[in-house]
Amino acid sequence: MATPGDSHEKLATNGTYPAANLEAARETGQSQGSSRKWLKVGVPIAVVIVVGAVLGGVLGSRASKKSSPSSGSSTGEGVNGASGLESVKTAVGMFATTTNSHTVPVYPSTTNAAAFGVPTFIAQPGDNPEITWNKDTFQPASPAPTNVRPDRPRLIAPAYKWDQLPNFVASDPYMKDWNDTIMADAQKWQAMDPVPYEIDGGLGKSGVLDVARQVKQRIKAFAYAYRVTKQTMWVDRAWKELYNASGQSSASFGEKGNNWNTAHFLDVAEFTAAFAIGYDWLYDAWTDQQKETIRTAIVTLGLQYGIQVYANNAAYGWWTTAHGNWNCVCNGGLTMGALAILGDDTTNTASSILNYTIPNAVANCAQGVTSDGSWTETPNYWYFGTTSHAEMASSLLTATGSAYGLMDSNPSFSITGFYHMYVSGNQQLFDYGDHGPNKYSATANAMFLHSTQFKTPEYALFQRDRPDAAEPWSMFWYDPAVSGAFWNGLALDHYFEDTADSWASMRTSWTDINGWYVAMKGGKLTGHASHGNLDGGDFVLDHDGVRWAGELGSGDYDADGYFDPETQESGRWLYYRTRTEGQNTLVVDQQNQIITAVPTCKFESTATHQESSTVFDVPSDSTAMFTTDLTTNYGGTSIKRGVRFLAGRTRVLLQDDITNAAKQVQWRMHTNATVAVDGSMATLSIDDKKMYVHILNAPSGVAFETLPAQRYAQDPALPAGMTDQPNPGVTVLAITLQPGTYNLQVLFDPTWSGQDAAGYTPPALVPIDQWSATSHG
């Protein structure tokens, strides 16, 4: 059942996404009508949205059935070998040479076995202060949430790390780049007025979440700039931002006494976190009066409302039972606020709230990851949930010496970094479901904390080449002792088998953005905090630097019924972007899939792992396949769908086995390409790139057609006054099948020269039930 708060995270208001819609809608997570794109590292403004996510690590290995993500990471080789690897790191610098238009790192085509070694940490904390962080001397024998470290800062970045930071900025190419970007961001924002109080769609809808996250983003940068330069101009600018949002200035900033907007509690939490950072990181620079002002705002506009949630069951506290981003953000912000002012708070509100937030987050936020590492909501909501989870856990660790189970109560949290890696394609995420609001201060940088906490260097090595890495948390969560290449020993494919999503990721390389990336999902259609779509069998496909089959993104979060309870007749399923016809899958009788569906899935792979070189030649016998039985999705109509690589991963076959369909079936794929159809052949073109899509052995009368990306004429009417978002630049490539039985094979081939061409070998027609890693030669 959808909760009232679900309707508050809004992506779109009105207007249209800029073409090409499939790309803009997914990557930015921005308000509709905005033209903001990703910004590269080094540009003097912060990256506000993140792309790139991928999963890839479920424990265990069943040979060709389910590949293990990594075959060779190490947690350290000691100080003896450290100096050589450290000098290699200095010589090579940053691995990625640039990013593509979707901010995916571009790696040089080279073999450098010394630099691109097995992922490892070349030293452990305390081994060598020139290479890695010192050990924290604050190690309480019996940690307690109200027993905080004696020095400041307490939150995330203790003083000993600030002491070492200048050396790492000078010696580590990544940390130097991030430092430069953070300072450039601070300079940019320093010249701007404080963030104005602008309500997005209504206080009970998206509220002032964007305002809160922008304030948090700025305070992090200003406080960082002061601590590395000691220039008081940064304290002054931070004060200007905080005072404006404190509810105690003469400026108009929301409802007096409820300035941070309890109607959308995410806003309260993010403001509280922002003020906590400012209070703690600039503690020694504030006057007593300034401290009192900031502390009063944290207590009266943040923590006291949290107490109302826990002690008095306030209606705006529905999130206390949510397994997902809302619980992480709300508990995380309240916890950071409390930790920041402990010892100074004479009201005892700070100590009281910790009795609630910590156990509640352990029971709920920490359960946001499913058994295979997938995030319970969607790939984009992974950013919000893991960012706040990491902020809360890190703050507890540095302030009190323990995370009290937040990091380890759910063992699957240790593998959610692989989820982020495998759900990231060569162009964008496999971004099924809703994409969420502006990210601003939400990044993928929890990967750095996870890399050290879970002894998984691949996470840091993957994330450090991403543009959103350049922000203050990275400077303290990243361990400069990490070494090697994330792709060295990493499986190309992975199957996420938890029935909540049941999806597979397959590719030809981790370092060639022109390679293939194919992902498909089965899984349940509900239970994703009302952020999922009716999308069993949905897929995306990248090749030659282009996403040929993609996702449309979120619908309008303010639309009537968009977050209705997930019944079959829910208002949510009236909108094109959530309906089955708005996905890259099959539609039977122009109807939605059945929400109670429980599809079964199968995955096999030759377990191909990339080696150290960025130039990877796929073995000729390498393949991967994923199938899903969608019969329950279609109310009993027998439909089985499979996707696989052919001919050494040079082509992709998508097959649908349909048995005795009593109604019309339509095959649908959304693309930004210009599409030319000629019977059983469709030629997709984007700039100078082409993809040939062919119906193999097409039955009489079966051919491609192109359709607009919009609802069927006979779809149920939208609520009064509501409209579907337009999808400019998007074409639906379709195949319409009359009732009957079919083995529909669709081949994706970037070099098609005709079925009669010399050397062409058609793929075997193998029933999906008989597919295996070796079934097609």
Side-chain angles (χ1 to χ4, degrees):
M1 177 175 180
T3 57
D6 281 338
S7 64
H8 300 162
E9 302 158 338
K10 171 173 158 290
L11 172 68
T13 51
N14 47 50
T16 62
Y17 286 110
N21 180 60
L22 289 176
E23 298 167 3
R26 278 190 310 277
E27 294 178 9
T28 60
Q30 65 205 24
S31 295
Q32 214 175 328
S34 169
S35 61
R36 178 171 52 245
K37 294 286 189 180
W38 271 92
L39 301 166
K40 293 185 179 180
V41 171
V43 178
I45 189 168
V47 175
V48 295
I49 317 286
V50 208
V51 188
V54 183
L55 180 147
V58 175
L59 300 179
S61 59
R62 281 182 279 155
S64 65
K65 301 298 183 181
K66 184 176 76 172
S67 58
S68 175
S70 178
S71 64
S73 67
S74 169
T75 57
E77 55 183 74
V79 270
N80 291 334
S83 59
L85 291 174
E86 180 71 5
S87 63
V88 168
K89 178 179 73 172
T90 303
V92 173
M94 300 174 71
F95 284 5
T97 56
T98 186
T99 59
N100 70 359
S101 60
H102 305 297
T103 69
V104 176
V106 177
Y107 294 97
S109 298
T110 184
T111 298
N112 188 332
F116 301 156
V118 173
T120 189
F121 292 103
I122 62 177
Q124 299 303 307
D127 283 350
N128 185 338
E130 298 300 313
I131 295 176
T132 188
W133 299 108
N134 290 325
K135 283 188 176 180
D136 192 346
T137 58
F138 177 66
Q139 299 288 338
S142 300
T146 55
N147 178 23
V148 294
R149 68 185 310 124
D151 58 336
R152 296 275 186 170
R154 297 171 179 170
L155 306 180
I156 296 173
Y160 77 93
K161 286 197 170 185
W162 290 99
D163 293 341
Q164 288 185 267
L165 187 62
N167 173 60
F168 293 146
V169 169
S171 63
D172 186 283
Y174 287 97
M175 297 185 77
K176 181 184 185 304
D177 185 84
W178 302 337
N179 176 79
D180 292 348
T181 302
I182 295 166
M183 294 303 298
D185 290 342
Q187 290 283 358
K188 174 77 173 180
W189 295 322
Q190 191 272 341
M192 295 180 178
D193 291 334
V195 181
Y197 194 90
E198 295 178 347
I199 301 170
D200 188 0
L203 289 173
K205 293 185 178 290
S206 292
V208 287
L209 181 57
D210 278 1
V211 178
R213 285 179 170 154
Q214 288 179 82
V215 170
K216 180 182 175 185
Q217 187 181 39
R218 291 185 180 189
I219 293 302
K220 287 164 63 177
F222 296 152
Y224 178 91
Y226 169 71
R227 293 197 67 88
V228 298
T229 68
K230 299 305 180 184
Q231 295 175 333
T232 57
M233 61 177 282
W234 298 114
V235 180
D236 295 340
R237 183 58 186 85
W239 172 250
K240 185 177 181 181
E241 197 75 50
L242 292 171
Y243 190 54
N244 181 68
S246 70
Q248 298 169 64
S249 73
S250 59
S252 175
F253 201 87
E255 176 190 347
K256 191 69 174 176
N258 191 17
N259 305 72
W260 294 352
N261 187 32
T262 56
H264 188 235
F265 209 85
L266 292 176
D267 311 2
V268 175
E270 294 286 36
F271 275 121
T272 305
F275 274 59
I277 298 158
Y279 188 85
D280 182 57
W281 281 22
L282 299 175
Y283 190 83
D284 295 331
W286 297 129
T287 66
D288 289 344
Q289 182 57 55
Q290 287 173 322
K291 288 179 186 175
E292 183 179 350
T293 298
I294 300 170
R295 197 166 57 242
T296 297
I298 289 173
V299 171
T300 61
L301 301 181
L303 304 188
Q304 287 183 352
Y305 286 112
I307 293 292
Q308 289 299 312
V309 166
Y310 284 109
N312 297 316
N313 296 315
Y316 46 76
W318 63 268
W319 46 266
T320 58
T321 57
H323 290 188
N325 84 99
W326 267 81
N327 191 277
C328 297
V329 173
C330 294
N331 278 319
L334 294 172
T335 298
M336 291 176 73
L339 292 173
I341 64 172
L342 274 174
D344 296 345
D345 171 34
T346 59
T347 70
N348 294 320
T349 309
S351 57
S352 296
I353 194 72
L354 293 172
N355 292 321
Y356 298 110
T357 59
I358 297 172
N360 186 265
V362 170
N364 295 282
C365 167
Q367 309 312 312
V369 173
T370 63
S371 65
D372 60 17
S374 298
W375 189 251
T376 55
E377 293 161 309
T378 70
N380 272 288
Y381 274 94
W382 176 94
Y383 290 92
F384 301 108
T386 58
T387 293
S388 292
H389 174 273
E391 289 173 345
M392 181 176 176
S394 180
S395 295
L396 286 166
L397 284 166
T398 56
T400 76
S402 174
Y404 307 98
L406 195 59
M407 293 296 289
D408 54 19
S409 63
N410 179 359
S412 297
F413 233 105
S414 68
I415 56 175
T416 196
F418 283 119
Y419 168 74
H420 177 65
M421 292 167 67
Y422 279 92
V423 88
S424 296
N426 289 335
Q427 299 305 307
Q428 293 105 231
L429 300 177
F430 176 26
D431 41 7
Y432 54 84
D434 284 341
H435 299 164
N438 290 305
K439 291 187 171 68
Y440 292 116
S441 57
T443 68
N445 294 328
M447 296 279 278
F448 294 131
L449 182 67
H450 291 188
S451 73
T452 56
Q453 291 293 310
F454 301 130
K455 310 295 185 188
T456 310
E458 290 91 340
Y459 296 165
L461 294 169
F462 177 87
Q463 175 60 14
R464 68 182 186 175
D465 282 315
R466 306 281 160 163
D468 64 314
E471 59 102 19
W473 291 167
S474 302
M475 304 302 290
F476 306 99
W477 287 343
Y478 177 74
D479 186 346
V482 73
S483 179
F486 75 85
W487 61 83
N488 190 343
L490 191 62
L492 298 182
D493 318 309
H494 196 74
Y495 174 42
F496 299 88
E497 62 186 359
D498 192 295
T499 57
D501 283 302
S502 300
W503 69 282
S505 170
M506 304 173 282
R507 68 183 72 222
T508 53
S509 172
W510 284 102
T511 50
D512 180 6
I513 62 171
N514 293 310
W516 287 100
Y517 174 78
V518 183
M520 180 180 285
K521 71 185 295 290
K524 296 178 181 177
L525 302 178
T526 60
H528 307 294
S530 295
H531 288 306
N533 297 332
L534 301 182
D535 59 357
D538 186 36
F539 73 99
V540 296
L541 186 148
D542 298 343
H543 184 267
D544 202 15
V546 172
R547 172 147 291 186
W548 297 102
E551 305 282 354
L552 294 175
S554 304
D556 184 346
Y557 279 27
D558 286 342
D560 290 351
Y562 192 79
F563 288 104
D564 277 0
E566 293 174 316
T567 63
Q568 191 66 45
E569 305 305 320
S570 171
R572 178 176 177 82
W573 315 131
L574 294 175
Y575 296 95
Y576 182 79
R577 292 190 181 183
T578 63
R579 292 181 66 79
T580 302
E581 68 218 53
Q583 321 305 317
N584 299 323
T585 191
L586 301 167
V587 181
V588 175
D589 196 29
Q590 299 189 355
Q591 300 296 309
N592 277 329
Q593 292 181 352
I594 306 301
I595 65 163
T596 55
V598 186
T600 57
C601 303
K602 176 183 176 182
F603 171 83
E604 289 193 23
S605 168
T606 51
T608 305
H609 291 69
Q610 187 163 341
E611 299 169 350
S612 63
S613 175
T614 60
V615 181
F616 181 64
D617 295 324
V618 177
S620 60
D621 62 349
S622 178
T623 193
M625 52 140 280
F626 173 78
T627 68
T628 179
D629 185 339
L630 300 170
T631 301
T632 59
N633 292 63
Y634 297 104
T637 300
S638 178
I639 294 180
K640 299 172 183 179
R641 165 164 275 208
V643 66
R644 70 178 302 126
F645 283 121
L646 298 173
R649 302 189 186 229
T650 60
R651 295 178 289 169
V652 170
L653 175 67
L654 177 63
Q655 182 170 318
D656 293 290
D657 290 354
I658 303 165
T659 304
N660 295 326
K663 303 288 185 179
Q664 182 188 87
V665 179
Q666 189 171 74
W667 184 103
R668 295 170 69 87
M669 185 189 94
H670 294 75
T671 182
N672 283 325
T674 299
V675 182
V677 298
D678 182 9
S680 61
M681 172 67 76
T683 303
L684 279 55
S685 304
I686 294 181
D687 298 328
D688 61 341
K689 309 294 179 63
K690 292 186 184 296
M691 176 64 68
Y692 301 96
V693 190
H694 188 65
I695 307 172
L696 300 177
N697 304 308
S700 177
V702 174
F704 281 118
E705 61 181 317
T706 58
L707 301 170
Q710 62 189 43
R711 61 188 10 249
Y712 294 127
Q714 70 273 23
D715 280 352
L718 293 171
M722 297 293 102
T723 59
D724 268 321
Q725 293 155 293
N727 299 303
V730 180
T731 297
V732 176
L733 180 64
I735 306 167
T736 301
L737 305 172
Q738 297 308 313
T741 295
Y742 299 87
N743 299 107
L744 182 67
Q745 291 184 301
V746 177
L747 183 70
F748 293 84
D749 191 335
T751 59
W752 180 262
S753 55
Q755 191 165 346
D756 298 325
Y760 171 74
T761 302
L765 176 56
V766 179
I768 287 175
D769 282 343
Q770 298 176 25
W771 275 26
S772 70
T774 58
S775 59
H776 289 65

